[in-house]
Amino acid sequence: MSVRITDDLWWINECYPVDDRRHLHISVFLIAHDWSDDDDHSDSCNDGDLGDDYCEKSILVDTGSFYHSERIRDELEQTLGTATVDTVFLSNPDYVHSGNVSLFLDESEVICFVGTPERHGYSGAITADPGQDFEVGDRRFSFVDPIVSDIASSVWIYDHDSGSLFTSDGFGHYHTPGECDLVSDDFESGIRFEAMRDFHDDTLRWLQYVDPSAIERAVGTVFDAYDVRRILPAHGHPIVEPDVDAFVDDFDRAIRAIVDQC
Amino acid sequence: MVREIGEGVYWIQECSEKSVAEFTRKNPDWYVPGRQVHSCRNAFFVDGDRTLLFETLSPTGEDQILAALDGLLDGATLDYVVPSHPENPHAGNTLTILEAYPEATLVAPAYGDLHELYHMDGGRKVSPGDQIDLGYHTVRFVDPTFVDHHTHVWMYEETADVLFCVDWIGFRHMSGECLQFTDEMDSAMTVERLQDHPRSPFFWFKFADPRETDDAIDDLIDAYGTSTIAPSHGQAIRATPTECMGATPTECMEMMKEVVRVLRDDLDVVV
């Protein structure tokens, strides 16, 4: 299922049933012009017959799991038509983030954040580091240290155009069947605190060794540096304005609750 | 490249070169200027009535791991394949190996809920305390104290007394030191040497509470301080170093306490 977040930002939100009561999003984000009613122009953009001003670049953040490969391809085709994805950002090399990268290695510029992409099977990928900026067309992205992550070689990505912070494993949370397509402001009382706490407790096994105030300060550093209007985790609902501040407060509480119980 | 590190326990090492210029510029205290530096991925083969491979090297090591297995098995069956966690430098050749040895059982960490998404849903799941009897050897799966990725397992072999600690105690070595125990290397084990590799899998050291990590490391020292330590990204550390340069497993683990402190003070948040 594809949920439109802004005019040119889609949330392709596949789910996985963790158990009878809980699902986990395995999300992919697409930034692109909507070609769904305009197949002729998507062909023309593909062939380079139309100029760059019209043919905005399309960017994928993560590629999801092989488990959802067919559905992700269908969603991309619905939006992009025959246009190809220009750039793929991999927020981390975990198979549920990079599971379909092979679909894009030939046609797209793949940017990932590992020291040696070949050792992860991504020959031809470009490496980038937190602290770097990257422009795709006229759209600027900044790569940020992932404050919380489940795996090495991860990155958070800030899209200056939409004010969206793609947080990979960070800020993830479970949801119940029936909530799959909701964004944060669809919830009357916000994202459930327990859903976020349990996800981080289950996933970030290293939290038992940390000082929660250090994580809180680090999150503050990121949110001071960037005007974050949306938080887009790979494993949770999009957090949209005006829910961002309260959600971050809940995240800080969740981390503290997890550390205190250890 | 294969070496026996304990009776019937073999070390398979895949090396790749790092930038000499980078290390010449940084000039860490263990480095001999001008020498090539290697990072490595290790896999370990346990031979016996039943055979087991722990870790599978990275995708670039596919030919190497298949050749090593061919040589080590010499026509025997491969019974178990155990990737420590679903990340390519460790599990990158799991499917290839299972195709080459279809009689082998995939053994995966039980922790987590997404095995199906990691091609880890078939085979056997193991939790800390579970054992596999290989005949002469017995492997026991232990709680992975320091993990990269939540679906993760460490392994201990009881007969040869070897702890396979995956990303823990990873470090670079120089050309000429491949497949050497730490006490055979030309260069010393130092805190500075041990702090390079953890910056990636243990990025969270910047948030660490050293009291907690010290306690965890003390538990590891109590349990495995006199064992051979076999990390997946470093040279094996034997319990009784034969050379003066060698640090014991306990000494290396004590140094890791200082590594946590150094990285906690050193790793800024990059925005």
Side-chain angles (χ1 to χ4, degrees):
Chain A
M1 172 74 190
S2 209
V3 175
R4 197 167 195 162
I5 305 293
T6 68
D7 281 347
D8 61 0
L9 172 59
W10 277 266
W11 171 40
I12 301 174
N13 63 340
E14 301 303 333
C15 277
Y16 187 77
V18 169
D19 55 38
D20 290 343
R21 296 174 297 113
R22 298 177 303 168
H23 283 186
L24 187 69
H25 286 118
I26 311 291
S27 298
V28 173
F29 295 93
L30 173 67
I31 298 170
H33 180 80
D34 184 354
W35 292 114
S36 55
D37 295 323
D38 203 354
D39 268 348
D40 289 340
H41 278 115
S42 79
D43 280 338
S44 300
C45 281
N46 233 15
D47 296 337
D49 293 340
L50 293 177
D52 280 351
D53 284 348
Y54 191 82
C55 298
E56 293 168 20
K57 299 287 186 181
S58 60
I59 299 126
L60 209 59
V61 178
D62 284 344
T63 66
S65 166
F66 74 90
Y67 185 84
H68 300 117
S69 178
E70 212 169 297
R71 289 212 294 268
I72 290 171
R73 278 191 285 191
D74 288 345
E75 294 291 346
L76 288 176
E77 198 178 299
Q78 265 195 16
T79 305
L80 294 175
T82 56
T84 52
V85 172
D86 294 291
T87 300
V88 176
F89 293 134
L90 291 180
S91 71
N92 77 47
D94 190 342
Y95 297 156
V96 300
H97 297 256
S98 67
N100 297 300
V101 71
S102 58
L103 300 177
F104 305 98
L105 283 172
D106 289 335
E107 292 179 343
S108 316
E109 188 174 51
V110 176
I111 317 292
C112 62
F113 306 92
V114 297
T116 317
E118 299 77 42
R119 272 202 283 291
H120 289 262
Y122 315 146
S123 56
I126 299 168
T127 57
D129 292 316
Q132 278 186 257
D133 279 2
F134 202 88
E135 288 192 4
V136 183
D138 58 1
R139 199 159 182 141
R140 184 161 72 104
F141 296 86
S142 294
F143 306 137
V144 181
D145 250 341
I147 306 305
V148 290
S149 179
D150 185 28
I151 196 170
S153 305
S154 295
V155 73
W156 287 2
I157 303 160
Y158 179 72
D159 170 25
H160 289 261
D161 249 46
S162 68
S164 301
L165 182 66
F166 300 92
T167 56
S168 193
D169 295 324
F171 298 111
H173 44 277
Y174 298 114
H175 62 279
T176 59
E179 292 177 338
C180 305
D181 302 328
L182 305 183
V183 298
S184 64
D185 60 3
D186 292 323
F187 290 85
E188 214 172 284
S189 310
I191 303 295
R192 280 184 298 280
F193 172 80
E194 293 75 20
M196 176 161 52
R197 180 201 62 204
D198 291 350
F199 171 81
H200 287 90
D201 193 18
D202 292 343
T203 307
L204 304 184
R205 296 174 74 174
W206 48 265
L207 284 173
Q208 60 185 305
Y209 302 120
V210 304
D211 171 6
S213 60
I215 292 185
E216 196 173 323
R217 283 195 298 275
V219 170
T221 300
V222 173
F223 281 74
D224 286 344
Y226 294 101
D227 175 25
V228 179
R229 302 194 290 280
R230 262 171 231 95
I231 299 173
L232 302 178
H235 305 301
H237 304 277
I239 310 302
V240 299
E241 279 182 315
D243 301 324
V244 170
D245 288 347
F247 183 80
V248 174
D249 288 344
D250 274 352
F251 170 81
D252 291 338
R253 274 200 310 125
I255 299 302
R256 200 164 281 280
I258 293 166
V259 174
D260 286 348
Q261 81 181 2
C262 293
Chain B
M1 295 196 295
V2 180
R3 179 178 182 175
E4 190 170 18
I5 59 169
E7 190 180 350
V9 179
Y10 295 86
W11 172 17
I12 305 159
Q13 184 165 69
E14 174 200 359
C15 289
S16 46
E17 294 178 349
K18 307 295 286 182
S19 160
V20 172
E22 176 195 339
F23 279 86
T24 303
R25 180 175 47 81
K26 288 182 189 171
N27 199 26
D29 59 7
W30 56 272
Y31 178 59
V32 176
R35 289 273 291 269
Q36 183 63 254
V37 174
H38 290 179
S39 64
C40 66
R41 275 76 49 209
N42 298 324
F44 301 93
F45 176 81
V46 184
D47 202 1
D49 299 333
R50 286 169 289 285
T51 59
L52 180 146
L53 178 72
F54 185 72
E55 305 280 58
T56 73
L57 303 185
S58 78
T60 50
E62 178 182 314
D63 291 344
Q64 184 178 353
I65 192 72
L66 290 175
L69 282 173
D70 191 46
L72 288 164
L73 287 166
D74 192 24
T77 56
L78 177 62
D79 294 289
Y80 301 100
V81 180
V82 189
S84 64
H85 61 288
E87 192 203 9
N88 271 327
H90 302 262
N93 296 303
T94 303
L95 296 180
T96 303
I97 293 168
L98 289 173
E99 276 174 27
Y101 297 94
E103 72 281 7
T105 297
L106 173 65
V107 179
Y111 190 96
D113 300 306
L114 304 180
H115 293 79
E116 196 173 11
L117 306 188
Y118 295 122
H119 297 290
M120 282 184 159
D121 48 318
R124 177 171 169 175
K125 306 284 187 309
V126 290
S127 299
D130 289 343
Q131 296 184 4
I132 298 179
D133 178 1
L134 301 175
Y136 182 70
H137 295 95
T138 300
V139 297
R140 174 162 47 86
F141 297 96
V142 300
D143 195 29
T145 305
F146 298 106
V147 306
D148 180 29
H149 198 282
H150 65 284
T151 299
H152 202 114
V153 75
W154 286 7
M155 190 176 81
Y156 172 72
E157 199 292 304
E158 296 185 346
T159 309
D161 192 14
V162 182
L163 174 70
F164 304 93
C165 56
V166 192
D167 282 297
W168 183 239
I169 317 187
F171 56 94
R172 316 287 184 213
H173 62 274
M174 293 185 294
S175 57
E177 293 178 332
C178 305
L179 282 179
Q180 286 188 346
F181 286 103
T182 53
D183 59 290
E184 296 171 319
M185 297 189 308
D186 298 330
S187 50
M189 291 294 282
T190 65
V191 169
E192 193 170 1
R193 186 171 205 159
L194 288 169
Q195 72 192 40
D196 193 15
H197 171 77
R199 291 173 188 274
S200 177
F202 306 123
F203 63 90
W204 55 265
F205 279 3
K206 59 169 136 339
F207 310 124
D209 178 346
R211 294 168 300 181
E212 299 292 341
T213 50
D214 281 357
D215 284 349
I217 293 170
D218 282 337
D219 288 344
L220 286 170
I221 290 171
D222 287 344
Y224 305 107
T226 57
S227 307
T228 296
I229 305 298
S232 296
H233 296 294
Q235 308 306 93
I237 307 164
R238 52 187 166 194
T240 47
T242 58
E243 302 291 333
C244 300
M245 193 78 85
T248 65
T250 294
E251 286 166 343
C252 290
M253 287 195 264
E254 287 286 354
M255 281 192 257
M256 289 304 294
K257 291 180 184 176
E258 186 56 24
V259 167
V260 172
R261 285 169 170 77
V262 168
L263 294 184
R264 186 195 56 164
D265 295 339
D266 189 38
L267 289 178
D268 294 324
V269 174
V270 178
V271 293

